[in-house]
Amino acid sequence: MKLVDRVKAILLTPRTEWPVVERERATMSDLFINYVAILAALPEVAHLIGQSFIGEARTPIASGLLRAVISYVVSIAMVYIIAVVINLLVPRFGGEKNFSNALKLSVYSHTPLWLAGVFLLIPGLNFLLILGVYGFYLLWVGLPMLMRVPNDRAFSYAIVVTVCALFPAVVLAIV
């Protein structure tokens, strides 16, 4: 139930939830086991079912499962990589380094993308992954609170982090 409460709070009231997140003393393993591992699986399971059982051009289950496992591992790695980028770039935007908070930002900012991944269940609804862009807003709102970035620099910082995150994502998607 804690997972559902956090998802609702981060999506519906991020300005009040980010300070709560900052005060928590969650370890990296807590975040990855109790949040990332569960939510990152949603789009992969939905995509596997959508491509192997629902779509007209059905993917063989074995190759679909292999793709799902690889994508799942990559998405978990991307959460960590983005946290490193957030923490690495923070001094350039006038904030304070804090890897724990950078990880929280990365983890919880991915929530809309993972939830939108449920639309991969029905191949014609793939375009609804655009709803994951709300994660950019979550990042933007959270940067001043968790990384102590001045409000006037948070938007540009969020853009730089997003561009840095898109580069490896595009490369991995091509591979």
Side-chain angles (χ1 to χ4, degrees):
M1 194 61 173
K2 190 175 180 182
L3 172 75
V4 173
D5 292 340
R6 172 53 49 87
V7 168
K8 285 188 336 189
I10 204 70
L11 293 177
L12 301 176
T13 57
R15 291 191 187 276
T16 57
E17 190 64 13
W18 280 126
V20 172
V21 166
E22 184 188 19
R23 288 190 301 272
E24 290 178 351
R25 298 292 161 228
T27 65
M28 184 165 45
S29 61
D30 290 337
L31 290 169
F32 277 94
I33 292 169
N34 299 324
Y35 199 86
V36 176
I38 298 165
L39 291 181
L42 290 175
E44 303 315 324
V45 170
H47 191 259
L48 176 65
I49 293 169
Q51 294 297 312
S52 297
F53 301 107
I54 298 174
E56 287 184 27
R58 296 205 173 127
T59 303
I61 294 173
S63 61
L65 188 57
L66 177 62
R67 190 216 57 82
V69 169
I70 291 170
S71 295
Y72 178 68
V73 170
V74 167
S75 68
I76 290 173
M78 286 300 298
V79 169
Y80 185 83
I81 291 167
I82 294 168
V84 169
V85 168
I86 290 169
N87 202 47
L88 188 67
L89 294 176
V90 73
R92 294 184 183 266
F93 293 90
E96 300 172 9
K97 279 191 168 196
N98 182 330
F99 185 74
S100 177
N101 283 351
L103 185 62
K104 291 174 189 177
L105 273 166
S106 181
V107 166
Y108 296 124
S109 294
H110 276 86
T111 302
L113 183 61
W114 291 326
L115 293 179
V118 170
F119 292 113
L120 293 172
L121 188 61
I122 301 171
L125 296 180
N126 293 358
F127 71 94
L128 290 174
L129 285 174
I130 193 74
L131 297 173
V133 172
Y134 185 66
F136 174 82
Y137 173 76
L138 294 177
L139 178 65
W140 175 29
V141 169
L143 285 169
M145 294 179 216
L146 274 71
M147 302 306 288
R148 306 288 181 249
V149 174
N151 284 327
D152 61 326
R153 300 184 83 187
F155 186 76
S156 57
Y157 184 21
I159 289 173
V160 170
V161 168
T162 302
V163 168
C164 289
L166 287 175
F167 180 72
V170 169
V171 169
L172 290 170
I174 292 169
V175 172

